[in-house]
Amino acid sequence: MPLRLTPLDDARFDDWRAATRVRLLALRRESGMFVGGDAIERVDEFLDELLPHGLATETSLILTIDEGAHRRGTVWLAANNGVLFVVDLSFDSVPDARLLDQVLDRLKELARRQSVDRISMAVYVCDGTSRAFVEGRGFEVASIQMLLEPLPPRNPPSSLVLTPMTADRFVDFAASSEAAFAEDLASSGRYSAEDAAVESHRQMQLELPDGIESAGQELFTAEVDGEEVGVLWIGIRRRGGRPHAFILDIEIASDRRRRGYGRDVMIAAEREAARFGADSIGLHVFGFNEAAVRLYEGLGYRRVEERFLLSL
């Protein structure tokens, strides 16, 4: 029986929104992305931001997954920058491979009608259904959110020290960090080169509105025997009512790589996080950076959320 994606009826929107809120809360809490009241606040902000006008929101499309007279689930979509985002996918019962194949076929048809050439989906590690949907169907990992909690006891690096970044050094760092992030965004497949540059600049301005003096931002140079070997940028945030560190950038000088300095800087970052009262560190890494992923996992970081991308 052919599968159809049908716009959600307006009369069912409130029930769908309530059920989706419960589902998103459970996924964020179980994955460890957010804890306590943070999860409630973030989910409510997320829903309000993406659906400010309910079903009338032009940037979102909520569809029921129908097979004959039977409803099998719902899918929430949004399109931006040539990408069709699967914001949420849920089923009334555990779907089999045939159903997942058919849903993807319908999404591909929809994407092509909208002149979209990529499909993106964020998957929490605890979401078995969404993982089953992306695995074995051509999706690739574009980016990963990782978490280290609690901070483990470790011996400090023997010779590497972190020194607060100077204002003069910050000028070069900010320019190179913005350019490198734009390049990574484009390489991940999520943005065109032009859009990646715009997005990188937007995020840099958001995090560092007052440059090196921006509140909650800690920037360091990593030095060995008085010589710079890399840089580290940590944002101090809140998670579950406690300080939480997020590594926004780490870079080892090209002529100093493969000497263990990346690991040393990460361990030094743990000491800085603890100094600010944090007992957890989060970070984002692009999927193509396999060496960095191995480093972080070797240090005990676990995957919390993965964003997958399918090129059509």
Side-chain angles (χ1 to χ4, degrees):
M1 191 171 295
L3 193 77
R4 305 186 317 279
L5 299 182
T6 308
L8 182 72
D9 187 89
D10 188 62
R12 299 170 63 182
F13 174 76
D14 288 344
D15 288 342
W16 171 86
R17 190 185 191 281
T20 299
R21 180 179 184 272
V22 170
R23 168 182 159 77
L24 294 179
L25 274 172
L27 288 173
R28 281 156 172 75
R29 284 173 167 163
E30 187 177 348
S31 69
M33 175 70 82
F34 301 113
V35 295
D38 291 352
I40 297 174
E41 181 179 348
R42 294 298 186 92
V43 167
D44 287 341
E45 288 177 352
F46 179 77
L47 290 169
D48 290 343
E49 179 182 354
L50 269 67
L51 296 169
H53 308 296
L55 279 179
T57 302
E58 294 183 357
T59 53
S60 285
L61 180 62
I62 302 165
L63 305 168
T64 60
I65 302 169
D66 301 316
E67 195 170 29
H70 302 287
R71 172 183 163 179
R72 303 300 303 273
T74 59
V75 58
W76 174 10
L77 305 172
N80 188 32
N81 292 322
V83 180
L84 182 66
F85 292 92
V86 181
V87 183
D88 184 64
L89 176 66
S90 65
F91 293 91
D92 295 345
S93 59
V94 178
D96 58 19
R98 176 194 59 82
L99 178 58
L100 295 177
D101 286 340
Q102 290 185 342
V103 170
L104 182 56
D105 287 342
R106 299 293 88 75
L107 292 180
K108 288 179 178 178
E109 293 169 1
L110 179 61
R112 293 188 178 104
R113 287 200 300 270
Q114 296 186 0
S115 300
V116 170
D117 58 7
R118 288 160 291 169
I119 297 176
S120 177
M121 183 175 185
V123 177
Y124 288 97
V125 292
C126 54
D127 188 353
T129 297
S130 294
R131 182 162 298 279
F133 177 70
V134 298
E135 287 185 342
R137 292 181 172 82
F139 285 86
E140 296 183 352
V141 179
S143 61
I144 308 167
Q145 294 281 351
M146 307 186 80
L147 178 70
L148 178 67
E149 183 184 38
L151 301 184
R154 303 191 209 265
N155 293 325
S158 58
S159 58
L160 184 140
V161 295
L162 295 181
T163 303
M165 187 177 291
T166 65
D168 287 343
R169 180 67 179 88
F170 173 77
V171 175
D172 290 338
F173 163 77
S176 62
S177 180
E178 182 176 321
F181 187 53
E183 183 178 347
D184 286 345
L185 284 173
S187 297
S188 73
R190 292 175 58 188
Y191 294 85
S192 67
E194 181 179 351
D195 290 337
V198 172
E199 177 62 14
S200 181
H201 181 71
R202 184 192 71 82
Q203 292 199 30
M204 183 67 73
Q205 294 300 308
L206 180 66
E207 296 288 353
L208 295 170
D210 299 314
I212 198 171
E213 301 297 333
S214 299
Q217 307 294 340
E218 303 296 329
L219 298 109
F220 305 92
T221 53
E223 299 179 356
V224 174
D225 297 330
E227 294 188 9
E228 181 180 318
V229 299
V231 292
L232 173 69
W233 174 13
I234 301 175
I236 304 300
R237 302 175 177 178
R238 304 290 294 180
R239 180 172 180 271
R242 294 193 55 187
H244 168 68
F246 195 90
I247 295 178
L248 291 156
D249 197 5
I250 174 176
E251 183 71 22
I252 304 301
S254 58
D255 61 343
R256 299 301 185 99
R257 293 173 185 169
R258 301 185 184 279
R259 303 185 191 183
Y261 291 141
R263 187 177 192 278
D264 287 348
V265 171
M266 292 296 295
I267 293 175
E270 295 172 15
R271 295 172 64 84
E272 290 299 325
R275 187 167 65 86
F276 286 98
D279 194 36
S280 59
I281 300 178
L283 60 82
H284 167 278
V285 59
F286 288 100
F288 61 77
N289 195 347
E290 296 178 358
V293 174
R294 288 194 298 270
L295 169 64
Y296 303 146
E297 290 183 330
L299 288 168
Y301 284 79
R302 65 180 181 86
R303 302 182 188 214
V304 175
E305 179 195 63
E306 295 171 292
R307 179 163 292 281
F308 289 84
L309 191 68
L310 174 66
S311 297
L312 303 180

